[in-house]
Amino acid sequence: MNIFQDANRKQIADRRRTDWLLHILFVVATSIGVIALCALIIDILIDGISRLQPDLFTNFPSRKADGSGMKSALVGTIYMLLIMAPVSFIFGVGAAIYLEEYAKKGRFTRLIQLNISTLAGVPSIVYGILGLALFVRLLALDRSLIAGALTMTLLVLPIIIVSAQEAIRAVPKSRRDASFALGATKWQTVSRSVMPSALPGVLTGVILAMSRAIGETAPLVMIGALTYVAFLPNGITDSFTVIPIQVYNWLSKPQLEFKELAASGIIVLLVLLLLMNFSAILLRNKYQKNV
Amino acid sequence: MEALIHIDKLNLYYGAFHALKNVTLTIPEKAITAFIGPSGCGKSTLLRTLNRMNDMIPGTRIEGGISIGGTEIYSNEVDVETLRKKVGMVFQQPNPFPKSIYDNVAYGPRLHGTTNKKELDEIVETSLKSAVLWEEVKDHLKRSAFGLSGGQQQRLCIARALAVNPNILLMDEATSALDPISTLKIEELAQELKDKYTIVMVTHNMHQAARVSNQTVFFLNGEVIEYSDTEKLFSNPTDQRTEDYISGRFG
């Protein structure tokens, strides 16, 4: 008996062709993203690699392209990170712990939750307007380092809260039960049982939020930080500049040399972003091994 | 045997659901009491009222009283954390913390303020010995508890519960996730522990109740149908429903 005799050859061929066509389509869809990214990186490398010299990191920006550097922008970005990271960690993780562990699950909590999720998607320039009104004008901080860092903190807070909540929620309930059953209070359970398990996930979220913040330009433009700064900030109330703003400044000049400088600035920013995302991945891998 | 726990006309509601109906029961000291009955009959719910773990489920309402050694545990003067220290619990799934074996056992004593290294060492050793795990783990206390087998993890959880020096040990289907050999070890351990501790265990396994317990309580739909000496309950039950259940006609 031939078990293949009633096979419909035409239908089989049609199915095969559909399968093959869609396979090609999906490969193309994937390649477009990858090719675009590669093209961007190659283009920037060609433009900027020649300017990627010690001068870039040790010199301040100047009117002449030769010998012009981005020391003030690099230091400004690092200072901003140093203020933003602890402030947004404390408030973001604090809010996440409250919402997950302490808040009663009611209508009010759901409303807050909905608001936070919405805020995570608000365009960054809106945070710029808020920062301008709140920090620059109302608190009279002017266009200072602290005003910029706090504006950026507002921008990343919802992202940190949401990702920290997810990490906290992923800790199994049985681990909380074990702690409570031994006579632990809420805070003892959170600090000794929940947070040690959630911390790698929380930190991953914080790092990814930080890497979003150092690439943002719009909110800082809004609070008036789009200036020519050829000195290092002496304190948190000094004016400052950051890498993306320095790049923007260079790009707005007509000379070709400044375009090259902008490209090299982008390379530095990309490397910084890669390093931060890489450390987030390392943390996540460590996390997966522990669970 | 003297009664340690008195449960008096206890009613418990989860929202509109009446989970425990007018439960009256006494539990003897330094003996094993088993709760049996089909799923959803309220046996685990009653167990969790004894260390007030039900407090954490929103919408739980309780009427009636439970006293342990003469103290009404649902009165306002009772400190829940102290109650849970005196009434330890072992869960259905072994749930060690992602920490070392040592830190798992030391977790409880540290919560309650023991920080002295020598004292902690001593507590860890005696607790692990009481849970008959010491010989297997004494050379690698610093290793992760997750490296232990399921049965060892459950004995570690028992050691962890014993480390805060409780009077009562609640076991919520503590062997249902384990293989027969590990189950047997836990049962033998329970037999040893009952000289020092009052044990209340929930089991879905009637044979286990018959094997290890001194007193058995049969639950059905949130009510206590019958409770008596284990031997009497299994050989000569007074209620027809108990007889139907233990002879396997339902459940």
Side-chain angles (χ1 to χ4, degrees), chain A residues 10-84:
Chain A
K10 186 178 174 311
Q11 199 252 354
I12 290 170
D14 280 356
R15 282 198 309 188
R16 284 262 168 80
R17 202 170 51 241
T18 313
D19 205 31
W20 180 79
L21 276 173
L22 284 172
H23 185 130
I24 299 287
L25 185 72
F26 296 141
V27 170
V28 170
T30 311
S31 336
I32 285 176
V34 176
I35 290 170
L37 183 66
C38 287
L40 180 75
I41 290 175
I42 290 168
D43 185 51
I44 287 168
L45 278 178
I46 291 171
D47 285 349
I49 200 89
S50 62
R51 295 277 175 183
L52 214 55
Q53 282 158 359
D55 276 359
L56 188 70
F57 302 99
T58 54
N59 288 6
F60 288 109
S62 93
R63 261 168 250 287
K64 291 180 300 227
D66 283 329
S68 190
M70 48 184 278
K71 186 177 178 184
S72 49
L74 195 60
V75 172
T77 291
I78 291 168
Y79 280 179
M80 204 176 74
L81 270 177
L82 286 179
I83 298 175
M84 200 169 47

Side-chain angles (χ1 to χ4, degrees), chain A residues 173-186 188-189 192-194 196-197 290-291, chain B residues 51 53 56 81 84-85 87 89 91 95-99 107-108 110-112 146 160-161 164:
Chain A
K173 185 178 167 292
S174 63
R175 239 167 253 175
R176 294 180 179 82
D177 284 347
S179 177
F180 283 125
L182 287 165
T185 59
K186 193 91 159 183
Q188 285 178 322
T189 300
R192 299 178 194 215
S193 176
V194 178
S197 297
N290 276 345
V291 168
Chain B
N51 64 347
M53 286 295 274
M56 283 180 288
E81 283 80 32
R84 291 189 186 137
K85 180 174 177 288
V87 186
M89 189 170 206
F91 296 84
N95 58 353
F97 298 115
K99 301 173 188 285
Y107 189 93
R110 282 176 177 148
L111 290 177
H112 299 286
F146 285 4
R160 185 175 66 185
V164 291

Side-chain angles (χ1 to χ4, degrees), chain A residues 195-237:
Chain A
M195 285 321 282
S197 297
L199 201 60
V202 170
L203 286 179
T204 305
V206 172
I207 293 174
L208 292 179
M210 292 299 113
S211 67
R212 155 128 198 240
I214 62 166
E216 277 289 348
T217 329
L220 297 180
V221 172
M222 200 64 221
I223 66 164
L226 186 59
T227 45
Y228 178 83
V229 178
F231 55 87
L232 296 183
N234 264 326
I236 55 171
T237 50

Side-chain angles (χ1 to χ4, degrees), chain B residues 58-69:
Chain B
T60 308
R61 197 156 52 78
I62 216 160
E63 289 162 7
I66 300 177
S67 76
I68 297 180

Side-chain angles (χ1 to χ4, degrees), chain B residues 180-223:
Chain B
I181 294 169
S182 306
T183 299
L184 190 68
K185 278 193 179 160
I186 302 268
E187 287 178 7
E188 285 170 2
L189 176 58
Q191 291 293 352
E192 281 176 38
L193 291 176
K194 78 170 179 195
D195 296 337
K196 281 201 215 151
Y197 306 92
T198 301
I199 296 177
V200 187
M201 56 162 62
V202 164
T203 175
H204 64 285
N205 179 342
M206 270 184 284
H207 305 292
Q208 183 170 57
R211 273 196 303 267
V212 300
S213 71
N214 305 96
Q215 177 185 258
T216 300
V217 187
F218 173 58
F219 289 77
L220 193 63
N221 297 327
E223 283 176 86

